[in-house]
């Protein structure tokens, strides 16, 4: 096994660590260890293609439930079938029981990967390493752009204090770069007022004040965080 890099979660903003792996087109497995828990994310040429999480909320059945693809009564049956056939792919078990078509199954698989990879943003203290040895199963056509994972992770899993602290490390003034590849972040209509405001540049406080009627502060900070850590923003001082 060859180790490519090793470090600590606290070394720098976590979004920048993940973005760097994507920008450098790394192929390998990122492993994060914190308080006895192990999170894994597989990269292939810089794209996220597989992930695992020890948290019950990231189990495929739970994600299917929150996505309204299975009922609560089916979750127990899914667990029973998985226990009886532990070597079988969990998504195949869900698809069989819920009678999901190939397209729905594929979208669910990508959603599971994204949620598990984004969960690494919930780790506040721990160590990480990237190796060229991959022990997760990688299936075709599941690649996710790391920028979308960074935005999801920042919005869903960074604490308020941590996103504030990491933004302060990045800078105090932000302006969208003209060549920013925005579709890769997975933004929707909700984020567009923030994007529009960032074209002129401003502080976090400026952007929050000018978009307060349409976008919550949490979303504003997650958008700026994702853009800045993925080098889609010019960063400086007012």
């Amino acid at each position: 096994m060859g180790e490519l890099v090793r470090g600590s979660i606290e070394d720098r903003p976590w979004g920048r660590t993940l973005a760097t792996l994507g920008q450098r087109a790394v192929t390998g497995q990122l492993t994060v260890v914190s308080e006895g828990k192990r999170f894994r994310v597989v990269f292939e040429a810089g794209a996220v293609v597989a992930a695992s999480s020890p948290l019950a909320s990231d189990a495929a059945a739970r994600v299917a439930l929150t996505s309204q693809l299975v009922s609560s009564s089916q979750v127990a049956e899914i667990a029973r079938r998985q226990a009886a056939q532990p070597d079988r792919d969990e998504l195949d078990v869900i698809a069989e029981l819920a009678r999901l078509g190939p397209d729905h199954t594929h979208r669910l698989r990508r959603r599971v990967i994204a949620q598990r990879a984004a969960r690494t943003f919930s780790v506040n203290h721990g160590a990480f390493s990237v190796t060229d040895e991959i022990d997760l199963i990688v299936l075709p056509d599941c690649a996710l752009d790391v920028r979308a994972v960074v935005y999801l992770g920042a919005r869903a899993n960074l604490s308020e204090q941590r996103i504030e602290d990491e933004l302060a490390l990045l800078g105090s003034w932000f302006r969208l770069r003209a060549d920013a590849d925005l579709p890769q972040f997975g933004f929707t209509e909700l984020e567009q007022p923030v994007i529009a405001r960032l074209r002129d540049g401003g502080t976090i406080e400026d952007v929050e004040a000018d978009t307060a009627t349409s976008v919550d502060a949490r979303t504003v900070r997650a958008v700026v965080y994702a853009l800045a850590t993925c080098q889609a923003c010019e960063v400086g001082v007012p």
Side-chain angles (χ1 to χ4, degrees):
M1 177 179 69
E3 187 172 86
L4 306 178
V5 65
R6 173 178 291 274
S8 169
I9 293 291
E10 301 96 327
D11 286 345
R12 58 179 177 169
W14 185 240
R16 179 152 289 175
T17 297
L18 289 188
T20 299
L21 295 176
Q23 291 160 359
R24 294 181 179 176
V26 167
T27 295
Q29 182 169 291
L30 164 70
T31 301
V32 177
V33 180
S34 175
E35 298 178 347
K37 297 183 177 67
R38 187 178 299 269
F39 303 80
R40 294 174 293 176
V41 181
V42 177
F43 287 82
E44 186 174 282
V48 174
V49 294
S52 70
S53 164
L55 305 187
S57 55
D58 296 326
R62 186 68 63 86
V63 178
L65 177 64
T66 57
S67 302
Q68 300 183 328
L69 295 175
V70 300
S71 66
S72 56
S73 61
Q74 288 176 311
V75 172
E77 177 60 18
I78 290 168
R80 188 191 67 78
R81 294 190 184 188
Q82 285 184 285
Q85 299 174 294
D87 294 331
R88 192 176 179 198
D89 180 78
E90 56 187 342
L91 270 298
D92 288 343
V93 174
I94 295 170
E96 177 183 82
L97 182 64
R99 298 181 180 178
L100 301 181
D103 289 344
H104 278 96
T105 304
H106 181 65
R107 285 196 292 271
L108 176 60
R109 189 182 300 278
R110 287 168 56 86
R111 191 172 301 165
V112 170
I113 293 171
Q115 181 167 316
R116 291 174 177 176
R119 188 67 69 182
T120 59
F121 282 81
S122 69
V123 179
N124 293 318
H125 307 284
F128 75 89
S129 62
V130 181
T131 65
D132 57 13
E133 181 178 345
I134 296 171
D135 53 28
L136 294 182
I137 296 174
V138 177
L139 297 178
D141 302 321
C142 289
L144 304 170
D145 195 289
V146 71
R147 287 166 285 192
V149 171
V150 170
Y151 177 56
L152 175 61
R155 189 178 178 194
N157 296 314
L158 279 182
S159 67
E160 294 293 340
Q161 187 61 57
R162 187 172 163 200
I163 197 170
E164 181 178 339
D165 292 344
E166 294 196 359
L167 279 168
L169 289 174
L170 293 167
S172 57
W173 183 90
F174 306 88
R175 181 169 62 194
L176 187 70
R177 292 174 58 96
D179 60 352
D181 193 357
L182 295 177
Q184 301 303 328
F185 288 87
F187 296 141
T188 66
E189 287 300 314
L190 172 67
E191 295 87 2
Q192 295 313 306
V194 183
I195 300 299
R197 179 60 182 81
L198 285 171
R199 295 186 191 281
D200 294 328
T203 64
I204 294 292
E205 292 74 18
D206 293 335
V207 180
E208 288 179 346
D210 291 343
T211 61
T213 58
S214 57
V215 186
D216 63 280
R218 173 75 181 189
T219 299
V220 170
R221 295 185 176 209
V223 169
V224 176
Y225 180 94
L227 291 170
T229 54
C230 295
Q231 299 185 347
C233 265
E234 298 172 8
V235 180
V237 295

